[in-house]
């Protein structure tokens, strides 16, 4: 049976940002704080750039888990937003699932904190419902690399595709000519070493 | 063929704690001693909290392998307990398997020392008998990361799902509202950084 | 169903070298610069030694990504060469795909920079078209090991075989007697520790 | 000039616990959370066991830094306690220094969070005043190993001795016969692998 | 379809030791020299203990690759031994394959140097011929962890089971009572930390 | 002889930013790109906050080394700026040294790229001239950790003090009450995990 | 003042082997078990080869710490042996110190378990008494690398020289011609990769 | 007392290349083979470029240690060359020391294999004789990082300065204008990432 390349399609994908809350973020130790912050915001900028329907959710945000990071709220001021009253798997929240279905998309990008719970659970639930699931590995964080590896394997076993934010952006963009300035601007902002290349290039161009 | 999410169900799961003995524990070097002790006891506390049928077993406990760690005996004073006379794979011990079957559960959580033998062998045996097997990766330890990785891959190949103790607890709990205090207490005890969040929260709440 | 060993066949394989450009190479941080340069040039020498049809391509080479490294151009002066005007996935470039098909080969070796985009995208596209795809892991580089691992898993999930350059060379060569001097020369040049063995051997032989 | 071994003397030493607060602890990433919690509490238990004058201090505990961890307050209910109104270096707080001097001790054990500031600054200040300073390296934490190494070198350059909590306990105890049960109890509680040895021993002794 | 646990059966398994030669061993850098030597000899001792048919082979042993390590020759003085004249994949050597088939076994344990070539190639060939293949991961070595990981994944993809030498020994032995002294002796010789447990036990037993 | 704590004094210190150029930055591989960019800009923000005289210099900025990163120029628009025509050690540039002396400060903070050359050389030159030298370890980068360690040791041997940017800020600030908002703002911007603490705190405060 | 190279002198050095006991060895986690066992026995073989006075001591060998490893007793059957009744620092045991002084040597090689206590304490005591102290870093082990580094720095600060077993052997031997076979035999036994070189050499010599 | 910057002076320095032999090189495992080969040859090219008197020596080159690597002989065809008949410390070879003294230089650069013996011993001997010693850390290799660190500390304690090959080149060159092409050519050859910068620059310059 032939393999089918389920390629990200900017017209058929939605993004789920799960539990990027100030308290929970302090638990993330499989990335440096600078790297992780950059990865999460890069993914958000990509979603906004491609105008991808985005759904936000939090868990117990009035308790120690804390509020969603303000940058996400600012990037997606009009996104559906579900502060869950108790469900750990956001897919157990009916309103959230309704919002996902309302997007009418077949592909789901999922990122969250912590990877082994807030990402893995909805990823497996969505796979069961027939969605194509793409987990953004470097915009999802957890306690340590052993836990991360455990979670990745479970999602992979269920059929999820693993992608990093840069690959997500490139697979959505497809062709630089679609908007060189716009996409290049995101890279310059979130890939410091790519920004260096651009700066050298510009300087030498004169 | 559609993927099916075999989700942990607290009413249909049993826990097997295999060979957490004082001598064998000294062989575990893929986790720090503090981390590993914490992981094992966290899993035990979770099983007790959800009242999950638990079965204990040891290998040659009168020899160098040493006795089962006292904390497990204390947590599960009434659990079936099988000091095996010689079988390395606990699934080769008829009494043990009878006890497993007597639980009437379809899902098995397995943790043990060492991962590549005391966990992998019964995991594969149980898979062969049709159980859904969930290996608790961070409550299982072995000689070094290369050995651990070897063992994880073999179990994964057989269809076992890999999970860490925190994900086990969350997938069983499903909704914080089921018992916030109880479940939060386990997290406070076994996730020092989560305890810090709770303490800051409480202090500020005043 | 029996497993079939899709073994590299020097008469049925082509090599795709994707985006090894001076600017993009500065982004590679999952290998040391010395190691990575050596790996890329070793793969090139192998392809040349076995006279494997090789196709070169670059992305936006007039911008910050920079020109293809000169050693590749020198090794393959007559190879089809496609500076892509914008397509990120080189398989989206019709001329490139035509050139691949024109080789008439069933097997494709792919290496490139960065692994998660410039290698993964064409690898999945080629798999979809029925090619046997062999990704050369150590002649492909990216931002960090987490990203590399993410990309490897996605390609593996699609059915790509992962191989390092040394294994590629050996699987193509099959028998030392086919050309001891020639193949040994490549190893001496690109495996410093193997060169040491040869030098000790020669010295002692007298 | 002969070297003089400035050995810890339980009758001439005081302990300073600096800024082990719930918020600041979440910044510590050069130890796993389990390891670090254990190290800090082990040091506290040692100080209590040897009845060493202990002084506690916090920085801005009503703000994001959070309250001192409750276990320290419980271990040292009557210890002088200085919530500093603003001084970053606790040695800039006159009351704190007065309390240190009031102990009449010549040797100071210092541990704190974060190593490069809350430990390094008072360590250097105390060295300047002629104290013998012993930094407890594994009960002090900071952002990452590069920062830790930077801080260690600066303190070492100033003449501070670096010690881990286990060495502190042993150098204070000097002879097991002084109180085998008491000291062994601390080790059993804070060195899980030593507890395993004791358990095997006891079991075999029968 | 039910999973079948292809368990090592001491009456239906043969061991292939491929290219453990003095020159090639110097290329192994994914294990420390002490660890790797110990792993290889442990596997050899296990095969001898269970009287498993063992086949030895070398590649170009008169050249820089050097002779097979003497300990293997001593352990298996009567084993079929094939110094290959040129074939890189030992499965391309007809005499070698005849010897394998002559054992009449269905299961093959394979270890060798280097993992990505001398182990991977025959492993895939044997899988294609319908053998159950068990790769002994820690008695096989190569240039670095990236290469090792690449090779493991390719063999896993083909259906090989990955096992470490300790797991091999335990799965073959099945029950300590079959020969406590004999099997324990192997562990004491090759697991220094297990030897320590035995020594403490014996000393305390008196 | 008593130790003297040469404490950073905001009224007696100047900052030297050496060769943070777009080309040279691509050589830095002992920090992740995100971490390093953050560290350099944090140091710059601290210098600006405390109004510390800052001197900028570059090496061959019209060649492959590239221009100084724009953020530094923007932060210090009026700072003395010395594009060196050829001197590798900026202390060999008379104009640069004159500018340093013109600050009238006794203490020098130095950060640069690469650590082993652009930082080490002027650090040793300044020490020879009697300056108190403070190397900012995490705002200085080089090829790999081995090179970094080599450079640190050489500077330490010469008497330089090693500090990270956070410790620099805290030692200059001395007391939170001097300007809580201002200093806290720098931390919030450059320590994502501290920003999380502040956000949780604010949210809970209501 | 001129530096003086305090070179190991086989006629003026004694070896102290401190607390290499079966229980304590299980606490060593800064070396792999195989590596550490090899390092300790290599040092013992060197001492025996050069006929260096060796003194053995243990701590509480009737308790959980366990007996001295049998290989050391076998290598040094007639060495002074001091099972200490309670002193943690063996230099606090008068009989032990008398035995050290009775050797009449000025240089002391010290190795032991754990590095931060059983090695560091007597090393500092011996330095205070004017001995030249050489700590054998790789035949001394402890809980983890952070603890090891802490201990090394403290001993270095006191003036101890750090050496690995191989350097000890070479500095004592000085000239291969003193006994090629004998010294080469030790290397062949304890440096597997050097043994490989010797084997290749011998094979090629014919 | 003022610190004096003992800066490398191309007119007052000699280079000692100690035991870079084909057999011994196979023991080096604290650098990847590609990195180490590059580092050694880079140092050689630098010495040749600055016309620095260089002295070569080997240990037992007719035995398993093997011949000096051919590239060094080719780079320094007329350099004094001392195959030592047995002395492990090359400073114990009178002819070698005479040759060193005959250079009339006060500064010595030393690199060799293995770091802890072939570099450390002559470094300490030369320091004792009053030379300024500069150890080239990345052109010297040994068994593992623990051994390397041990050796570095011992040499540092004796007063040696540690430098990497790039810093050596830059400190000798002092000013790019002395020979941009020549020095740049060495960097392009031995720093692949710097070569990339040059290539991008040249391409953009047009």
């Amino acid at each position: 049976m032939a393999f089918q390349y389920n390629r990200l399609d900017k017209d058929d994908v939605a993004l789920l940002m799960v539990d990027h809350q100030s308290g929970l973020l302090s638990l993330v130790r499989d990335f440096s704080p600078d790297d992780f912050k950059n990865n999460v915001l890069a993914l958000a900028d990509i979603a906004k750039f491609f105008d991808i329907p985005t759904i936000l959710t939090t868990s117990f945000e009035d308790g120690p888990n804390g509020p969603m990071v303000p940058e996400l709220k600012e990037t997606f001021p009009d996104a559906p937003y579900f502060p869950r009253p108790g469900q750990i798997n956001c897919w157990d929240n009916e309103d959230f699932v309704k919002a996902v279905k309302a997007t009418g998309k077949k592909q789901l990008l999922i990122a969250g904190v912590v990877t082994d719970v807030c990402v893995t659970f909805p990823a497996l639930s969505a796979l069961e419902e027939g969605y194509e699931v793409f987990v953004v590995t470097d915009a999802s964080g957890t306690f340590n690399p052993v836990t991360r590896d455990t979670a990745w394997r479970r999602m992979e076993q269920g059929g999820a595709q693993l992608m990093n934010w840069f690959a997500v952006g490139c697979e959505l963009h497809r062709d630089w000519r679609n908007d060189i300035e716009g996409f290049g601007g995101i890279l310059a902002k979130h890939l410091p070493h790519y920004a260096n290349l651009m700066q050298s290039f510009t300087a030498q161009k004169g």
Side-chain angles (χ1 to χ4, degrees), chain A:
Chain A
M1 195 187 71
F3 163 76
Q4 184 187 346
Y5 177 10
N6 287 329
R7 197 170 175 173
L8 280 175
D9 175 351
K10 71 179 166 18
D11 297 321
D12 201 11
V13 68
L15 169 65
L16 316 182
M17 295 293 271
V18 185
D19 302 353
H20 290 95
Q21 298 166 252
S22 62
L24 295 177
L25 281 166
S26 82
L27 308 182
V28 172
R29 280 148 200 261
D30 57 337
F31 293 95
S32 87
D34 297 328
D35 282 352
F36 193 63
K37 176 185 169 188
N38 182 60
N39 294 343
V40 171
L41 299 185
L43 178 61
D45 281 353
I46 284 169
K48 190 177 175 190
F49 178 75
F50 291 106
D51 217 8
I52 292 175
T54 298
I55 300 173
L56 306 176
T57 182
T58 57
S59 168
F60 255 137
E61 66 179 38
D62 297 330
N65 294 349
M68 177 156 272
V69 290
E71 292 91 340
L72 291 185
K73 285 187 194 157
E74 289 157 19
T75 308
F76 306 109
D78 304 321
Y81 177 78
F82 300 93
R84 306 193 305 282
Q87 303 93 342
I88 294 178
N89 180 349
C90 59
W91 209 266
D92 285 343
N93 183 296
E94 289 188 17
D95 295 335
F96 178 86
V97 176
K98 266 186 212 158
V100 174
K101 293 189 172 166
T103 65
K105 309 301 185 189
K106 182 176 71 202
Q107 299 181 324
L108 298 180
L109 282 161
I110 307 182
V113 171
V114 296
T115 313
D116 42 311
V117 170
C118 309
V119 177
T120 301
F121 294 1
L124 295 176
S125 292
L127 284 163
E128 191 171 48
E129 295 226 13
Y131 285 92
E132 293 171 16
V133 173
F134 301 79
V135 173
V136 190
T137 55
D138 53 0
S140 301
T142 189
F143 308 116
N144 50 53
V146 168
T147 302
R148 174 175 65 199
D149 200 21
T150 298
W152 283 15
R153 286 168 184 264
R154 194 179 184 208
M155 292 188 284
E156 205 181 18
Q157 201 180 33
Q161 291 193 56
L162 305 185
M163 293 183 74
N164 51 309
W165 72 257
F166 179 71
V168 167
C170 290
E171 191 154 309
L172 289 167
H173 197 49
R174 302 220 171 166
D175 195 308
W176 279 91
R177 290 166 299 186
N178 290 332
D179 181 349
I180 294 186
E181 300 275 309
F183 193 61
I186 292 177
L187 300 193
K189 188 173 164 195
H190 293 293
L191 283 180
H193 38 355
Y194 198 74
N196 289 334
L197 288 179
M198 295 170 91
Q199 196 196 349
S200 283
F201 178 74
T202 305
Q204 287 154 21
K205 222 55 183 180

